[in-house]
Each structure stands twice: as C-alpha cells, then as structure tokens.
Amino acid sequence: MKVWRSALLCSAALMVTGGAGAAWAQSEEAPAPAKQTEATAGEAASDPAVEELIVVGSRIRRDTFNSPSPIQIMTREETTLAGYSSTTAALQGTAVTGGSAQINNAYGGYVTDGGPGANTIGLRGLGAGRTLVLIDGRRVAPAGSRGSVGSADLNVLPSAMIDRVEVLRDGASSVYGSDAIAGVINVITRKPFEGVTVEGQYNAPTNGGGEQTRLSVTGGLMGDRWNLSGSLEFYERQDLTLADRDWTRCNTDHRINRATGGVTDFIDPATGRPKCYPITGTGSNGVTINTIGTSNMAGVGAAGAPGSVTQFNRWRPNSSVTTGLVGWEGVGGTGVNVNVRDTFEDEMLGESLISPVEVKTAYLKGGYDLHALGNAEVYGEVLINQRDSTQASYRQLALDYMKGSPLIPAELAGSTAMGPTEISNGQDVGVRAFIGAGLDQSSQSVTFWKGTAGIRGDLFLNDWRYDVAVTRSRSDADYSMMSFLKDRLSKSLDVVDIGGGVFACRDADPACVAAPALTPAVVGGALPADWKNYVFQNVVGNTQYDETVLSAAIDGPLYELPAGTVMGAFGVEYRKAEIDDTPSIHSQQGNLLNLTSSEPTRGEDSVWEVYGELEVPILRDLPFAHDLTLNVSGRYTNYDSYGSDSTYKVGGVWTPIPAVSLRATYGTSFRAPALFEQFQGATSGFLDQSYDPCSEYGTEAAPDSFLYANCHAELGDTDFKATSGVTVLSEGGAGAGLEAETSKNFTVGLILQPELPDAFGEFAFAVDYYKIEINNGVSRVGGAAILDLCYNDPEFRAGGGWCRFIEERGEGAKLVVHDQYTNIATQNVEGIDYNLRWVKDIGPGSLRLNAQVTQYLDQSSKLFADDPMDDVNGTIGNPEFTGTFDATYALDKVKFRYGVEWIDDMQSYDYFGLNRATTAYDFDVPDYWTHNASVQYSADDWTATVGIRNIGDKEPPMISSGAYSRVGNAPLYSGYDYVGRTVFVNVSKSF
C-alpha cells in the first residue's frame, strides 16, 4: 500500500493499461543505483520501498516517487496485453499522446521531418521537436533521411530490452536542456539479469494487409564483478495499400446536399458510380490521366457535357473509335463539367496506405566493478539499428510536345496549348499529354548506432556519487525515389523524322531515346520500355547526422533539516551535433520533373551547459503538513550559435493529510532550433499564379492602395497578368539571425487517495491542470503570407521587412520567395488531465480499473504579435477530449483485459466561418471509439497472450475534400485506426 500510494504522488496515470499491482513491480524493477551487485539487487527487490530511484524529471535519487511533475509510466506487460506490436505503436497511442497527431507510417507520401518511414512523438500537440526522448536518462540522437532530420526516430528503440517507459508531461529544460519543452519520454531498459528469453508476436488484420511480425532474443550473464545483457530483434510490417480497405478505394468530393442529407458527388457516366480521385483526394482538382490538353478546338462533347459547347481544350479517347485521334471527345472548355475527365485507374490503388518497413535492432550493455575509485563501475552500451522502408506511389506524367514536332499528329498540328515549359526546349507547347505512368517506389535505408562508455561510483563525501560518460551517435541514411529527368525529357522530345514512322533525337548523345509519337495508346500509359528507362531514373541522396555528448554529474545529501535531508544534483554537459544531407545531383540542379529541388543541408552546432537541482524537505509529520517538499532546478546554457541563456524550474508537493496531495511546478524552457531549421538547403515548392499579388492589379487593386503603387513601381504594366506560378524556397534561418525560442510552463495537480475499508478496495484520483506558452517560436511564415505582407507594405522594398525574402523581378521574371525559418510564432496549449484508478479483490482474483481523460482547453497560435490568436481546439485533428479505459482481472496465472480508446467529436465549421446548416462541406466527425480485449497465461518460464484490437472493426470517419489532407475519404490523423480489426498473439519462453 505504501509504495503504491507514493507512486501516485508523481503519476497522473502510472500506466496506460495497468494498475496497482504493476506499480509494485515498477519499484522492484527500478534502475540500479550507481553500483549494485547481484546480492544488493536481491535485497532491494525484497524491500522495494528502500531502493533509491531516479524517475524522469529529476536527477536526484529518492526512495519514493514524490515528484512534483505529472509522470505516466507504461510497463512492458501492459503493452503486451494491449496488443501493441512495438514500442513505437504504444508511444503513439492515445493514452500517451492525448490525441495529438503524430508522424507515423501513414505519412509515407508526405514531406515530413525525418523523411518517409520515420516515426516520431510530440506531447501536448507541440510537435516532435519539443519532446525529448531518452534511453536510461541519456539522449537519443535524431535519425532519418533528407535535410529535415531533427527528432528521435522511435524505430531505433530496443523494444526487447525495455522494462518500462516513463512519460514526463511537463517542461524540463532546466533538468535536461533544450528540446524538453512539452515533456520527456524516458525509456528504461532492464536491469542486469541472467538467462535467455525468446519472444515472438504476430498481428494479423482480419481484412488482410499490414501484417506485423516481431521476433526477439534477450539474454544476460552475471559474475561477481561484472554483468552483460542484450537483445537481438527483428520487426517487419507488411504493406497495406489503398486496395486493401473499402474506405480508401474511391476518394470523392463528399459534398453534402443539406436539403436531402445525401451527397452531391459527381456520378461518372462511364461507371454510374461517384467519381474517384485517388491521387490527390481533392475533388474536381484531382489529377487528370488518359487526356490531352490543346488550344481551343472544335469538337463534340463527351457524355455529360452540355451539347451547346463546341470548343474544347481537353480531350480523351472515344471508346467507339480504335484508330487515330479523330475519335477523341472534348472534356474541357467553357461551361463544361471537367469531372468527366479520367482520374482513376485500378493501379492507383496499389499506393501505400500504411507503408511497409523492416527493422533490425541489436542492443548490448554491461558493467564491470573496479573495486577502486570509490567502488566504481565501468559501464557501457551499444545500440545498432537498421531500418529499411519503402512507399509506393502513383505517378502522373505531363508530357509537353513542342509545337511543330513531328511527334504530333496532323489533326492537332495547329494547337498551341501553352507557352514554353521546362521540357519544351524554349518552344511553345503544342499538345500536353496527361499520362498515367503507373506505380513507383521511394525507399530509405537508415543505419543508426549509439555507443556510451562511462564510469560511476562513490565520491569521498558521504553518500555522494559521481557519473562521467561519453556518448557518440550516428544516423546514416540512403534515400531514393524514381523521377522523370527534365534534361532527358527535353532531349527525347526534340526529334527528327528519319522515315518510316521512326524518329531520332536531334541531340548527338548516343544514349538518347526519342519520345514516342502522340497516340491514344501512349496517352493511356503504354510507354516504350527503352524510352521510359532512359527518362525515368532512380535518384539517390544521403543524410548523415552525428552527435557527441560528454557529461559529468554528482549527486548526494547536502545537509539535514528537521523535515529530512536536503538532496542535490549538479552536473556539466557538452553536446555537439552535425548534419550533412546531400540530395541527388539531379535534385540539386532542379532536374526532377514536377518534384521539388533541394540544395545540400550542412551545418553544426555545439553547446556546453551547467545545471543544478535541489530537493528541500520543508515540513513533515505535522498537522496539515504530512509532507511539504520543494524542488528547484536551474541550467546555464552557452550555444556556439546562440550565445548564453538560462532556464529554471520551481516545484513542490504538499500533502496536508495522507489522503490528499497537491503538486505544482512553474518553469522556463528554451529550444535551440534544430540543425535543419538553421541550415536547411533551399528546397523548392510552388504556388499557383493566382497567388501573385500583382496579377491584374490594374483592375483588381484600388488605385490609391499600397498594393497598386508597389506593383506599378516594380512592373509598370497595369495590364500585367501572371502566367507562371510562384517559386517558394524553404530554407534554414541561420543566415537571417534565427534565435532560440522560449516558453513558460505551469502545472498544478490534486491527488486523492483516501484510506478505504478493505471492502471498498483501493481508490485514487488525480487531476492536473497545465499551461504552456511558447514565444519567439521557430516557424516558417509561408510563401503566400510573405507575398501579402511585402506587397501591402507602405515602404515596400525600401523598408526591408518581409520584402527582403522576395527576389526582385523585372519584366518576364518569375516571382521567387524565400520562406526561411524565423522567430515569429506564439503558441499556447492549456488543458487538464484526469486519472482514476480502483483496485479490489473480487472472488478468487483481483480487479483493477483505470480511466484516463485529457481535456484541451486551448490549442491556439499566431504568427505575428498583432495577429489574433487562432484557436484550433476541437477542430478536425485537434480533439477537445480524448480518453482511455481498461479493466484487468487477474486470476492465478491468467489475466483478462478489456480496453477502450475514445476520441471526442470534432468540427471545423466555426474555424472556417461556414454555416453548417447550408454549407455543402462535411467538416464534422463523430466520437470515435475502439475496443480491445486480450487474455494472458503465465507459467513459470513461459507466457502466452492472445487478443483482438479494434473489435468492432471501426473505420475512420469521412470528411469533405478541399481543406484537409485525407487518406481515402478520412482525415490524415494518427488518432484513427487505418488498419481495422487485428488479431494478435504473443508468446515468450525463458531458459
């Protein structure tokens, strides 16, 4: 009872799915003191209340969990009962994240920090860059691919050796340094042990696809003065494609007819079913295939097009005509519903819904007792991880045939579809072919290793200990993708007719292969293999991230007070990090068709820090002061790039009576920008020409407006109309004076644990209020916002300001915006965590119930100081409430578990200023519930667990296209289960 109650003092929820019994086990399996032999380990296990612990959030050893910060603890047994196949999945679950969105394997087709295949975690909705991940209290360096590597990849964690995970839901920069703004994830590995355990788990979705397999071997040896333990692990997740689930097989607009309650999606006349847009999921803006674009030409409308329209600029084949182009039907032009164009073919469903991955991990740690230097122990650990991940995506090829090219058939020779493009050799485009080029793959192979060596022991002072260590980490990633190369396309499209329907490249390059003549078959995707092999190439880049950490720390008692001993911990730390991302030379030169270009990202930074922490017992065993303890910490930091700064944190626990405890903390944090935020090489993106503020300014802007004056000063031409898009270059901000961001963090909590008669069992309730405010936040403004700010500035370019991010342009020049990381943002998160636990012996066994609810009161941000706060709380992807519940009944060697996960309903009508009674958009999702169940049998040396996740096979809800990224018709949001009902089995055997 005593240990269980003291554990609740620090824990908003001790575990995701466990209860009081597991809390005892956590005390027994706590990290060893600085030195520990096999004998002392046994003594500690027999009396867990006296073993000294270091719980995340503090550097001070203590014999209870009396931390003033809310801490959640998740044990290995609980993740097994819940059916999680990996530590990654458990950490990204609702119980840990509170429903905030996480980057996982559903983001394979998106540009994300860490690159495709990386899995990260961010607490309180503040992102992975503001959450620190540790293994046994030591930093896990970032890993991943491409230039934006800046956070730990959860794939590298040694799941087989993990004993528990401690989640600190509080700012801790003064204790752990930069990054610990939203909280800390501390992975605790198993203590030294003897024996071998073999474990396997298999998760099989009942609808097929996405199967997961995990196999591991852990082992340990111990001698009188040494210990050695480690693990080997293999994890594989199979591909889950769009074809594997009903709700992803046909993206639609999903517009609502409010009068009838039905949908108004366009019905494809060719199939009689709603039109599918599986590439982009953006409705009528979906990607066209099997179509050509021309200048306006006379033709006959396709089925579904108004019969009065006779001029068209889009065409597709007529199924009743099998030769030539004369049978093509018009599908574009004034007044024509362009939904009749082709946007779907079955091969598109081969895209990844959940991308596959294979992870291999080796972990080894050990120690040797020197019997010298203060009874010191020399220790070390090595972690080696290999991740191989892939993503399948469908590719559209927009092939531009030059006007006058012999590849264009005679009946289309008079067409001028558009002006010169990047592959038309400076000539006007006669015909653009929109070709479905099929599936291709991108891939990442990431090797991560981390090594630590150190020595720890007793100082000459009474009960003082020291710990000195060095850690070296490296992530080395090769990443590749398939792309059409602009230079080769340009060469292949510039041809001469050598007779007999045969064409040759005009260029003398002997490797050049002439592009195929324009035919319905070519537009339909039947591309000559030799030509595609020439223009469609695998491009490879490499990313390396290196980190070195040197640390030295001491801790122990300072002096005695009437209420107890004042404890202290002090240390110094030096860190150096370096990133080197080298994209493919084709990417650096902007040679990838319709893909971004990227320059190398190279830079380094270093920091040295001094920190201290004190724990002061103020009162104890007095009326209305059963316990009052104060904790203070501070850190002085000096960055090579940012100079010096300091942070602090003050917290305390007051227990007026044993049944009631109050805790509170207030602290400051700061986050040094990640290396990619400082040094990211320019990466191109694009905005539509409609974003050019000066387009048609002569008629659209008021003559006395700053916009009119600025555009006229730059262009002079009042008839100017933008005909090309805006290039946006995303870049690191080191050159623009990027600074560290700062924040304030406040938490206050109440814990109730009354002494109840045995007939009522054991009850505990905890509620914690938190508020985090980030100022001077590191962010990018966005190309559109920069354009608006610059061209409406009274001083325009003479005043510097935002115009310094826009390249000056002359007549005919493209508009280029540099969207650098800068210090602009303010972000607030405010909420309440509720946790309830009840444990009681019922019949021959014991029942424990756990409930955890997170309520967000505020999730708001703004870019500029004079902007209003933009609150997204309760909008899609940002739930106001989330919760979990589980019940476990332990009967001798058997445990039965039932769990529920809940995400509150969300709506975005208010956010977008829409009237939900009249709008055609469906931006309202209902409450989302999933149910899980399992049973576990434990014998002396083996354990078997079987269960089902998402028993009801709950699918994600649907929303309309047009505002949010979607997967199928569902929001792109990690809180929803894309896999569906899954059966799992876990078996372990010890020797």
Side-chain angles (χ1 to χ4, degrees):
M1 178 75 77
K2 176 182 177 182
V3 174
W4 182 69
R5 286 180 175 168
S6 61
L8 280 174
L9 282 173
C10 81
S11 175
L14 272 179
M15 55 210 71
V16 175
T17 58
W24 282 93
Q26 287 156 19
S27 295
E28 293 168 4
E29 292 296 323
K35 62 181 184 64
Q36 183 174 27
T37 65
E38 184 176 4
T40 59
E43 293 166 2
S46 65
D47 189 6
V50 301
E51 182 168 3
E52 294 172 307
L53 308 176
I54 298 179
V55 179
V56 65
S58 174
R59 304 276 188 176
I60 292 175
R61 288 172 286 119
R62 51 173 60 84
D63 59 7
T64 61
F65 286 88
N66 59 338
S67 167
S69 297
I71 298 171
Q72 176 180 344
I73 297 179
M74 178 173 55
T75 67
R76 179 181 190 83
E77 180 188 28
E78 294 149 11
T79 60
T80 301
L81 277 168
Y84 291 115
S85 58
S86 65
T87 305
T88 298
L91 288 175
Q92 291 184 330
T94 299
V96 174
T97 65
S100 59
Q102 308 298 318
I103 300 300
N104 57 25
N105 284 2
Y107 285 73
Y110 295 82
V111 177
T112 58
D113 293 347
N119 282 243
T120 57
I121 183 167
L123 298 175
R124 304 300 195 198
L126 295 177
R130 299 185 178 104
T131 299
L132 180 62
V133 179
L134 311 171
I135 296 179
D136 290 332
R138 303 186 189 280
R139 287 171 169 263
V140 180
S145 61
R146 304 181 185 267
S148 57
V149 174
S151 303
D153 181 4
L154 301 180
N155 287 298
V156 309
L157 298 179
S159 296
M161 277 291 289
I162 293 176
D163 176 63
R164 71 180 188 274
V165 178
E166 301 172 347
V167 182
L168 173 69
R169 296 171 174 267
D170 200 3
S173 281
S174 61
V175 179
Y176 293 107
S178 185
D179 311 339
I181 288 178
V184 180
I185 306 292
N186 189 20
V187 174
I188 305 296
T189 60
R190 298 177 62 183
K191 289 197 310 180
F193 64 95
E194 288 188 295
V196 175
T197 299
V198 179
E199 183 179 7
Q201 179 159 334
Y202 184 65
N203 287 40
T206 58
N207 294 315
E211 294 85 357
Q212 300 176 72
T213 302
R214 182 170 61 85
L215 302 172
S216 67
V217 177
T218 59
L221 297 170
M222 298 182 67
D224 292 338
R225 298 175 58 181
W226 59 273
N227 64 82
L228 189 68
S229 57
S231 63
L232 295 173
E233 186 170 5
F234 172 82
Y235 170 77
E236 181 181 35
R237 185 167 199 164
Q238 300 291 330
D239 196 12
L240 181 66
T241 69
L242 298 180
D244 291 328
R245 296 295 179 266
D246 290 338
W247 57 274
T248 56
R249 289 177 182 155
C250 183
N251 287 64
T252 66
D253 286 331
H254 190 60
R255 301 289 193 267
I256 303 299
N257 183 329
R258 294 297 175 181
T260 65
V263 296
T264 61
D265 295 328
F266 180 80
I267 303 301
D268 189 341
T271 64
R273 298 189 299 271
K275 193 73 172 177
C276 301
Y277 311 98
I279 299 181
T280 62
T282 55
S284 58
N285 293 319
V287 175
T288 296
I289 59 171
N290 305 330
T291 307
I292 61 173
T294 66
S295 54
N296 285 337
M297 302 174 66
V300 178
S308 60
V309 179
T310 59
Q311 295 288 317
F312 301 91
N313 54 32
R314 288 284 180 93
W315 310 79
R316 71 178 185 184
N318 187 324
S319 58
S320 65
V321 179
T322 57
T323 60
L325 290 169
V326 294
W328 287 38
E329 301 175 303
V331 298
T334 304
V336 177
N337 188 341
V338 295
N339 276 304
V340 298
R341 74 198 188 285
D342 285 347
T343 60
F344 174 79
E345 66 177 14
D346 287 339
E347 193 175 4
M348 294 177 180
L349 298 182
E351 285 197 342
S352 297
L353 170 58
I354 301 291
S355 59
V357 65
E358 184 178 292
V359 179
K360 297 180 282 289
T361 307
Y363 180 79
L364 182 69
K365 71 174 184 177
Y368 182 79
D369 195 341
L370 295 178
H371 287 175
L373 300 177
N375 200 19
E377 179 190 39
V378 176
Y379 64 91
E381 71 167 31
V382 177
L383 170 64
I384 302 174
N385 176 272
Q386 175 71 41
R387 167 169 64 89
D388 294 294
S389 51
T390 61
Q391 302 81 36
S393 59
Y394 187 89
R395 187 67 58 88
Q396 181 222 47
L397 169 62
L399 192 59
D400 293 336
Y401 288 86
M402 295 181 297
K403 186 175 178 64
S405 169
L407 299 174
I408 299 176
E411 60 268 32
L412 295 177
S415 168
T416 303
M418 63 190 71
T421 66
E422 295 173 303
I423 61 173
S424 67
N425 296 287
Q427 305 298 310
D428 287 342
V429 175
V431 178
R432 168 169 282 186
F434 298 93
I435 301 169
L439 289 170
D440 62 77
Q441 278 196 341
S442 57
S443 65
Q444 307 80 40
S445 180
V446 185
T447 301
F448 175 85
W449 63 264
K450 173 178 178 284
T452 297
I455 182 172
R456 55 194 171 196
D458 298 328
L459 285 172
F460 59 91
L461 299 173
N462 183 38
D463 290 333
W464 278 78
R465 297 175 182 173
Y466 68 89
D467 191 338
V468 180
V470 56
T471 299
R472 172 77 173 158
S473 303
R474 164 170 281 198
S475 170
D476 190 341
D478 291 323
Y479 57 95
S480 67
M481 61 181 175
M482 299 296 295
S483 177
F484 291 97
L485 303 182
K486 296 177 185 177
D487 58 350
R488 296 193 177 191
L489 285 168
S490 300
K491 289 181 181 180
S492 74
L493 287 165
D494 186 11
V495 302
V496 294
D497 188 346
I498 60 177
V502 179
F503 306 94
C505 297
R506 191 184 306 276
D507 192 280
D509 182 2
C512 182
V513 178
L518 181 62
T519 66
V522 167
V523 178
L527 303 174
D530 59 342
W531 176 76
K532 189 172 182 180
N533 290 337
Y534 171 64
V535 299
F536 195 53
Q537 294 286 305
N538 190 40
V539 294
V540 180
N542 176 265
T543 307
Q544 294 184 10
Y545 193 103
D546 294 278
E547 184 175 271
T548 300
V549 181
L550 304 175
S551 64
I554 58 173
D555 70 278
L558 287 169
Y559 49 87
E560 292 294 325
L561 291 178
T565 304
V566 177
M567 301 292 292
F570 308 93
V572 60
E573 187 170 280
Y574 171 82
R575 299 192 304 274
K576 181 177 181 179
E578 181 177 359
I579 189 172
D580 186 343
D581 174 62
T582 305
S584 160
I585 189 64
H586 296 293
S587 180
Q588 295 181 46
Q589 295 174 348
N591 194 33
L592 309 180
L593 182 67
N594 293 332
L595 293 174
T596 60
S597 62
S598 299
E599 295 179 1
T601 297
R602 296 190 177 111
E604 64 179 46
D605 203 358
S606 61
V607 57
W608 65 269
E609 300 175 296
V610 177
Y611 64 86
E613 180 183 1
L614 295 176
E615 186 165 274
V616 183
I618 305 297
L619 299 172
R620 183 164 296 171
D621 297 328
L622 296 175
F624 301 104
H626 181 73
D627 178 66
L628 176 61
T629 301
L630 178 70
N631 183 280
V632 295
S633 59
R635 178 176 291 248
Y636 173 81
T637 300
N638 192 313
Y639 269 91
D640 180 56
S641 54
Y642 300 109
S644 60
D645 203 346
S646 59
T647 57
Y648 69 88
K649 183 175 181 180
V650 179
V653 177
W654 174 40
T655 305
I657 59 176
V660 179
S661 294
L662 294 169
R663 61 183 173 206
T665 66
Y666 177 82
T668 61
S669 299
F670 84 98
R671 184 180 73 90
L675 291 182
F676 76 89
E677 292 172 330
Q678 299 180 52
F679 304 112
Q680 183 179 22
T683 301
S684 66
F686 306 96
L687 292 173
D688 185 81
Q689 59 261 30
S690 62
Y691 284 90
D692 188 331
C694 294
S695 185
E696 300 182 273
Y697 77 92
T699 57
E700 297 293 331
D704 59 349
S705 67
F706 294 120
L707 175 62
Y708 187 101
N710 293 337
C711 291
H712 193 65
E714 182 172 70
L715 299 170
D717 180 10
T718 56
D719 295 325
F720 172 76
K721 181 177 181 178
T723 58
S724 59
V726 181
T727 299
V728 180
L729 301 176
S730 300
E731 302 172 85
L738 184 67
E739 299 177 354
E741 66 183 29
T742 60
S743 68
K744 301 174 183 177
N745 190 310
F746 172 69
T747 66
V748 59
L750 168 68
I751 303 98
L752 302 177
Q753 40 190 350
E755 189 81 45
L756 299 176
D758 291 342
F760 291 92
E762 297 174 338
F763 170 84
F765 175 75
V767 56
D768 288 280
Y769 166 86
Y770 62 88
K771 183 175 183 179
I772 304 172
E773 179 181 331
I774 298 173
N775 294 299
N776 209 34
V778 177
S779 180
R780 290 199 303 257
V781 178
I786 293 174
L787 289 168
D788 183 67
L789 290 163
C790 170
Y791 280 90
N792 286 282
D793 186 345
E795 298 185 18
F796 195 41
R797 295 190 181 276
W802 294 105
C803 290
R804 73 184 187 274
F805 297 115
I806 302 174
E807 295 182 9
E808 294 194 36
R809 57 174 171 173
E811 183 178 353
K814 291 189 66 173
L815 195 56
V816 180
V817 181
H818 294 261
D819 187 13
Q820 297 177 336
Y821 283 96
T822 187
N823 298 102
I824 51 174
T826 297
Q827 187 169 1
N828 293 333
V829 178
E830 182 181 8
I832 304 174
D833 290 327
Y834 308 89
N835 298 274
L836 182 148
R837 176 167 296 109
W838 181 64
V839 180
K840 187 179 186 305
D841 291 338
I842 297 178
S846 176
L847 175 68
R848 65 175 182 254
L849 307 179
N850 298 281
Q852 175 182 336
V853 174
T854 293
Q855 177 186 9
Y856 290 97
L857 303 175
D858 182 19
Q859 300 181 74
S860 60
S861 63
K862 62 180 180 180
L863 285 178
F864 306 105
D866 55 354
D867 285 346
M869 294 299 291
D870 192 10
D871 191 1
V872 298
N873 195 35
T875 63
I876 294 173
N878 302 281
E880 183 179 356
F881 285 93
T882 64
T884 62
F885 168 81
D886 69 86
T888 303
Y889 186 72
L891 176 63
D892 193 17
K893 297 182 178 181
V894 181
K895 288 184 179 179
F896 303 90
R897 178 192 179 273
Y898 168 74
V900 178
E901 297 178 12
W902 165 61
I903 295 172
D904 193 18
D905 66 301
M906 298 173 275
Q907 62 88 10
S908 299
Y909 297 111
D910 297 337
Y911 181 77
F912 290 118
L914 300 173
N915 184 338
R916 67 185 304 163
T918 59
T919 181
Y921 288 96
D922 180 7
F923 288 151
D924 188 359
V925 296
D927 289 43
Y928 184 80
W929 298 84
T930 58
H931 303 261
N932 317 301
S934 63
V935 58
Q936 182 179 84
Y937 179 84
S938 299
D940 291 339
D941 57 2
W942 66 275
T943 300
T945 308
V946 296
I948 304 176
R949 290 191 57 79
N950 193 353
I951 296 172
D953 200 21
K954 182 71 171 179
E955 294 181 353
M958 293 196 300
I959 62 170
S960 296
S961 64
Y964 290 98
S965 296
R966 298 190 305 165
V967 178
N969 294 310
L972 178 63
Y973 171 54
S974 63
Y976 295 141
D977 181 7
Y978 293 164
V979 178
R981 182 192 298 115
T982 301
V983 177
F984 65 90
V985 57
N986 178 287
V987 178
S988 65
K989 168 71 173 176
S990 298
F991 301 92

